[in-house]
Amino acid sequence: MTTIEAPADHRSRVPDQERLGWALALGGGGSVGLAYISGVLSAMSDAGLDVGSADLVVGTSAGAVGAAAIRKGTRPADLLTMADAEPDPAAAAAGRGPRHFERAWTGGMDLCNRMAGSSAVVARSMLKLPLPMPPEHLDAFFPGGLFRPRGNGLQQRFGDQWPADPLWLVAVDLRSRRRVALGRRTEDRTHPLHRAVMASCAVPGLYEPERLGDRRYVDGGVNSTTSIDMALRNGSSHVLAVVPMGYQQTGRPSTAQRIFRGPAVRGVRRELRRAGERARDVLVVQPHLEDLEIYGTNFLRATDNGRVAERARSRTHDLVARPEVAEFLAALTAARPRNPGPAVRPLVQRR
């Protein structure tokens, strides 16, 4: 279930005077990914690590939900309750299980308009086609999402107020197609927290891009599922990265799993390769190949995620028993930020 994507020597290569403490980076992966994060962080807590003490928490997509919740004081084990959808009497009457989303269209014409708008968003964000940004009146006529979140759970859970400690929610600016760490700049925190979380989770084609100010944002996982590199370039002394969409490469997964998880695996490798010697300061936790059958390929499933969290917790217990991992976790506790305030320095974004 887990792998260390770094040499056994985890001593930081950042000079003491430049350290900004340690960072927690939580990757995307839908509701199944959130259950996985719950299990991993629960095991880390069992081992004595206070995950809420991270000097910087970076969240992408479902990881943004987990990151905001951790910063708001939620226990890791309680993230599992967010992975499963609230009961839906209408769905039960129709013989369906509950979902996290519901259809947004109101009729045939609206569906056609939404399909056109969603196709444009997918083409621009995921396929990188050089399409012009539509004017605002066309944007309203051709909404870029077929579904919307069911209920107002994010607003109820997170509200408008940002936590005092540094929290970065990674989204992709639809205009520039570059990642943006919402929360890094003071002006980002003028937007409601729940909407910034939604911006990081706005899967192109599924949900409409989230408009914050004069910008429209989609799921940060479009460009990087975990954004380990952002935490490293910010100067964090160590990074604990949870990558629900990755897998330990001890064999060959099914074709479907390779298709869905391949971008995350390649992305982590690319970011660690760019990090050079700083990769020694990163611990990457990701699913074991043998467990992928439990996780499946429906990453948005809204029920039966308890098995995912239980397996992740069990596997992570095995991981933290390894001496080199225990040494890494001890280094996290010893890492001290340069300043007690927000750990932020100028950052050049990459796609």
Side-chain angles (χ1 to χ4, degrees):
M1 185 276 305
T2 27
T3 178
I4 300 178
E5 294 280 356
D9 179 6
H10 291 295
R11 289 172 297 178
S12 177
R13 295 316 191 259
V14 179
D16 288 344
Q17 67 270 23
E18 293 295 324
R19 289 187 182 186
L20 292 176
W22 70 280
L24 175 65
L26 304 179
S31 48
V32 175
L34 187 58
Y36 178 82
I37 290 170
S38 173
V40 170
L41 296 187
S42 293
M44 293 290 180
S45 295
D46 295 341
L49 178 67
D50 178 8
V51 296
S53 71
D55 296 279
L56 171 65
V57 180
V58 181
T60 305
S61 195
V65 176
I70 291 295
R71 275 301 196 224
K72 285 281 190 173
T74 301
R75 295 188 311 123
D78 293 337
L79 295 177
L80 180 60
T81 63
M82 302 170 64
D84 286 337
E86 296 289 334
D88 185 351
R96 293 188 289 103
R99 295 175 178 171
H100 288 291
F101 54 86
E102 61 189 9
R103 73 181 196 181
W105 68 89
T106 55
M109 181 60 71
D110 187 28
L111 175 60
C112 291
N113 290 346
R114 286 180 175 275
M115 289 180 67
S118 298
S119 299
V121 170
V122 169
R124 182 168 183 83
S125 61
M126 300 182 72
L127 303 181
K128 312 298 184 187
L129 297 182
L131 299 178
M133 289 291 290
E136 194 166 338
H137 67 278
L138 279 182
D139 184 36
F141 193 68
F142 296 98
L146 296 175
F147 298 91
R148 59 177 170 240
R150 186 164 66 88
N152 58 348
L154 289 181
Q155 184 174 7
Q156 289 180 347
R157 187 172 296 274
F158 298 125
D160 296 345
Q161 190 70 33
W162 286 72
D165 293 322
L167 169 66
W168 292 2
L169 307 175
V170 183
V172 169
D173 183 334
L174 194 57
R175 180 179 297 276
S176 67
R177 289 180 283 204
R178 291 183 176 272
R179 282 178 295 161
V180 175
L182 298 171
R184 183 176 68 88
R185 303 174 307 168
T186 303
E187 52 265 38
D188 294 336
R189 292 173 170 251
T190 62
H191 302 299
L193 175 61
H194 69 92
R195 291 189 58 196
V197 172
M198 188 62 221
S200 183
C201 298
V203 180
L206 183 69
Y207 298 131
E208 290 184 40
E210 187 71 19
R211 184 179 290 277
L212 299 176
D214 61 350
R215 296 286 180 172
R216 299 169 68 208
Y217 297 97
V218 295
D219 193 316
V222 168
N223 286 11
S224 172
T225 57
T226 311
S227 289
I228 299 169
D229 57 339
M230 282 189 169
L232 282 172
R233 293 203 307 276
N234 183 56
S236 299
S237 63
H238 298 77
V239 179
L240 171 59
V242 184
V243 188
M245 290 294 290
Y247 58 84
Q248 184 179 6
Q249 296 178 36
T250 55
R252 188 173 177 82
S254 68
T255 301
Q257 292 287 2
R258 289 202 307 275
I259 291 172
F260 283 113
R261 295 178 179 270
V265 172
R266 293 189 294 272
V268 168
R269 281 179 169 177
R270 181 174 60 250
E271 291 177 16
L272 292 178
R273 188 167 58 248
R274 287 174 178 169
E277 284 197 350
R278 288 300 321 278
R280 297 172 181 270
D281 304 321
V282 182
L283 174 64
V284 175
V285 184
Q286 53 191 346
H288 194 285
L289 192 63
E290 297 171 0
D291 297 336
L292 297 187
E293 206 171 296
I294 295 176
Y295 306 145
T297 54
N298 177 13
F299 302 110
L300 296 178
R301 74 168 184 248
T303 58
D304 199 28
N305 287 313
R307 290 190 307 150
V308 173
E310 288 172 10
R311 181 59 60 90
R313 192 169 191 167
S314 172
R315 295 284 195 180
T316 308
H317 280 149
D318 295 339
L319 176 78
V320 299
R322 294 164 56 176
E324 67 273 24
V325 176
E327 180 186 347
F328 184 92
L329 297 182
L332 299 188
T333 329
R336 289 178 295 181
R338 182 181 58 183
N339 296 308
V344 174
R345 59 174 54 182
L347 184 68
V348 177
Q349 304 292 352
R350 291 181 179 171
R351 291 188 178 184

